[in-house]
Amino acid sequence: MKNTITIIALFFSVCFYGQNQSVLGKWKTIDDETGKAKSIVEIYERSGMIYGKIIDIIDVEKKKSVCTACTGEEKNKSIMGLVIIKGLKKDGKEYNSGKILDPVTGKQYKCFIALEGNDKLNVRGYIGVSLFGRTQTWNRVR
């Protein structure tokens, strides 16, 4: 009986531990230049790819902002609800081969993301090769 309980407890521990190792969920974005929190992005999976959408903006005065600098179908869309991460695919411990949109400048960059522990997410946007870019560290929202 003890062995059965131990095996069940171990099974559930592994299941819950594995869930914490996922990029999926809500993340507080931190501006790498100012160090200030800007928004909450929800990262989700659809058709085997990873996407991220802005679900909250920290600065109350910017909550109704629109992406005037964006092009294409994002032009003049509300930043709240805007999908800024598109088409990332899992590659080992990181997700890459997708794009990230900077709603301030309207520019799109190549992107990869990788977990650092359970509650930090490194998000890198770059042009050409990842050497030419910048990284933000986002914090998991519990």
Side-chain angles (χ1 to χ4, degrees):
M1 183 68 171
K2 268 186 176 180
N3 287 342
T4 304
I5 293 172
T6 303
I7 291 171
I8 292 172
L10 182 63
F11 173 76
F12 282 109
S13 296
V14 169
C15 287
F16 288 119
Y17 179 76
Q19 288 176 346
N20 288 338
Q21 293 292 323
S22 173
V23 298
L24 304 180
K26 296 177 183 171
W27 298 89
K28 184 182 290 186
T29 67
I30 309 295
D31 189 302
D32 56 306
E33 294 172 348
T34 65
K36 293 183 179 180
K38 292 176 75 173
S39 65
I40 306 294
V41 172
E42 181 175 24
I43 296 184
Y44 59 95
E45 184 177 356
R46 186 177 69 207
S47 301
M49 293 188 189
I50 299 297
Y51 296 84
K53 141 173 103 170
I54 297 174
I55 60 169
D56 194 15
I57 297 173
I58 306 295
D59 186 346
V60 177
E61 294 177 6
K62 295 183 180 179
K63 283 190 184 270
K64 294 189 179 190
S65 297
V66 295
C67 193
T68 55
C70 291
T71 59
E73 65 181 50
E74 281 93 11
K75 179 127 181 103
N76 294 323
K77 275 194 174 178
S78 175
I79 292 176
M80 185 85 77
L82 193 64
V83 177
I84 60 168
I85 295 175
K86 295 181 180 179
L88 293 176
K89 299 175 194 159
K90 187 167 178 63
D91 183 17
K93 291 187 175 185
E94 65 182 40
Y95 295 80
N96 56 39
S97 301
K99 302 269 186 188
I100 188 165
L101 171 69
D102 181 347
V104 175
T105 65
K107 293 182 180 177
Q108 280 198 9
Y109 301 95
K110 292 181 179 179
C111 175
F112 74 82
I113 62 176
L115 277 174
E116 182 181 319
N118 289 336
D119 295 329
K120 292 198 182 291
L121 183 68
N122 291 322
V123 180
R124 183 151 184 90
Y126 60 95
I127 298 171
V129 293
S130 69
L131 181 64
F132 302 109
R134 62 186 230 216
T135 301
Q136 290 184 350
T137 300
W138 297 357
N139 299 316
R140 189 182 297 276
V141 175
R142 296 255 177 220

